[in-house]
């Protein structure tokens, strides 16, 4: 179980055209995500999804609030970055390295030993269909191929928590399908999976539970089927617009 409690992180943003300053971020964001399920953080661009996901991935820190993994505070967990991995639509790969070298590098950073690491690389290469380009440098890879490398890099440490932030952004229909299929496969491994998106059809397809985020605040959260019954609506998109219609 991953429990997010009252996360708040505010910062100033300056409009490039008008030069006007505004206060953005997230306020009192709370939700729970269980093993073996995909938890969706749903919202429009600028809603605070990436800020929330980066805090969960331990890449930035909240001004207040706390996160618990298996009832243990993040602040007390040793080697947290080995247990939590992050992939986004903007995750970069090292052009001069091969997928094999990328996985080897991140595996060694996390403390994996030679035999264990080689077995994990082989497993991921087969699972993600990377054997044909495993030893090619990433410089000329397609966006979809690079995203596979990013996912492999995230999985090599066998993390408990996987954070996917807008991972289908910029992908063509085939690459997007491959990434979503891989996430559905990971669900079977009883991991804690968080998936943020503004694409409501993706949330409908993948997510068991969701939190609807708008202007940095959670408007509602819970099991998708329960939310549909609660609002007497048939889709996540309808629920989203029902919740934000008075706040636009």
């Amino acid at each position: 179980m991953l429990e997010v409690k009252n996360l708040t992180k505010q910062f100033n943003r300056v409009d490039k055209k008008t030069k006007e300053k505004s206060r953005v971020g997230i306020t009192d964001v709370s939700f729970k995500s269980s093993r073996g399920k995909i938890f969706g953080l749903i919202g429009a661009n600028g809603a605070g999804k990436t800020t929330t996901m980066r805090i969960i991935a331990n890449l930035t820190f909240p001004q207040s609030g706390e996160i618990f993994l298996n009832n243990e505070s993040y602040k007390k967990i040793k080697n947290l970055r080995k247990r939590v991995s992050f992939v986004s639509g903007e995750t970069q790969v090292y052009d001069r390295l091969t997928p094999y070298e990328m996985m080897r590098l991140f595996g060694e950073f996390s403390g994996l030993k030679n035999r264990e690491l080689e077995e994990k690389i082989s497993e991921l290469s087969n699972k993600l269909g990377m054997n044909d380009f495993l030893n090619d440098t990433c410089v000329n890879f397609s966006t979809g191929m690079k995203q596979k490398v990013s996912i492999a890099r995230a999985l090599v440490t066998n993390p408990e928590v996987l954070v996917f932030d807008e991972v289908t952004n910029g992908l063509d229909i085939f690459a997007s399908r491959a990434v979503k299929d891989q996430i559905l496969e990971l669900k079977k491994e009883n991991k804690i999976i968080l998936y943020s998106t503004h694409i409501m059809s993706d949330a409908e397809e993948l997510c068991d539970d969701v939190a609807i985020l708008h202007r940095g605040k959670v408007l509602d959260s819970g099991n998708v089927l329960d939310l549909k019954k609660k609002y007497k609506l048939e889709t996540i998109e309808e629920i989203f617009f029902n919740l934000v219609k008075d706040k636009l």
Side-chain angles (χ1 to χ4, degrees):
M1 170 79 75
L2 182 85
E3 184 174 7
V4 172
K5 281 190 171 184
N6 306 113
L7 291 186
T8 295
K9 185 178 180 69
Q10 297 286 321
F11 48 92
N12 292 320
R13 181 174 64 185
V14 179
D15 189 284
K16 292 181 179 179
K17 293 182 179 179
T18 67
K19 306 301 180 183
E20 291 183 0
K21 294 182 180 180
S22 59
R23 195 76 170 157
V24 297
I26 58 173
T27 305
D28 287 329
V29 169
S30 300
F31 56 81
K32 295 179 181 180
S33 178
S34 303
R35 291 185 180 277
K37 293 183 177 182
I38 299 174
F39 186 95
L41 193 60
I42 313 303
N45 292 334
K49 302 187 301 297
T50 293
T51 298
T52 304
M53 292 299 222
R54 286 179 64 83
I55 293 171
I56 293 170
N58 200 40
L59 298 175
T60 188
F61 304 100
Q63 291 156 346
S64 61
E66 199 163 358
I67 304 174
F68 295 87
L69 177 58
N70 304 328
N71 297 315
E72 186 177 5
S73 171
Y74 258 32
K75 298 174 183 177
K76 298 179 180 179
I77 296 176
K78 295 180 180 179
N79 300 319
L80 180 61
R81 289 192 177 178
K82 182 178 179 180
R83 297 173 66 181
V84 182
S85 282
F86 177 81
V87 182
S88 82
E90 297 180 355
T91 301
Q92 299 297 310
V93 300
Y94 298 114
D95 285 345
R96 295 184 180 181
L97 297 184
T98 67
Y100 171 85
E101 290 168 336
M102 284 278 291
M103 286 187 279
R104 180 99 197 168
L105 178 67
F106 281 87
E108 289 176 347
F109 281 162
S110 71
L112 291 179
K113 304 302 180 184
N114 277 336
R115 182 175 179 181
E116 181 184 8
L117 180 54
E118 287 297 325
E119 289 176 352
K120 193 64 182 177
I121 290 172
S122 177
E123 174 193 331
L124 290 172
S125 300
N126 289 323
K127 183 183 291 185
L128 293 170
M130 295 170 56
N131 286 320
D132 289 343
F133 55 89
L134 182 64
N135 295 301
D136 297 335
T137 54
C138 296
V139 63
N140 293 318
F141 284 6
S142 67
T143 304
M145 291 165 72
K146 288 182 178 180
Q147 196 67 307
K148 281 189 176 184
V149 178
S150 294
I151 292 173
R153 182 269 304 161
L155 294 177
V156 75
T157 60
N158 194 28
E160 294 176 58
V161 181
L162 286 163
V163 180
F164 293 101
D165 183 36
E166 298 277 12
V167 286
T168 60
N169 277 5
L171 299 184
D172 66 32
I173 189 170
F174 298 106
S176 177
R177 179 71 269 158
V179 169
K180 289 188 287 185
D181 284 346
Q182 184 57 48
I183 292 171
L184 288 170
E185 283 298 312
L186 290 168
K187 176 182 174 180
K188 299 175 184 177
E189 297 181 13
N190 206 37
K191 295 183 182 294
I192 297 169
I193 300 175
L194 295 103
Y195 182 90
S196 77
T197 185
H198 66 279
I199 304 171
M200 300 299 164
S201 58
D202 282 3
E204 194 76 46
E205 177 184 358
L206 298 177
C207 299
D208 302 284
D209 306 299
V210 296
I212 308 252
L213 192 66
H214 184 65
R215 294 180 179 173
K217 296 182 178 180
V218 174
L219 302 183
D220 205 346
S221 65
N223 177 266
V224 170
L225 294 178
D226 290 342
L227 289 172
K228 288 178 179 180
K229 290 177 182 177
K230 177 180 177 179
Y231 292 102
K232 298 180 181 179
L233 295 170
E234 295 183 358
T235 67
I236 294 173
E237 183 173 17
E238 290 175 310
I239 295 170
F240 172 80
F241 282 110
N242 180 73
L243 288 169
V244 305
K245 63 184 178 183
D246 297 326
K247 297 175 174 60
L248 296 174

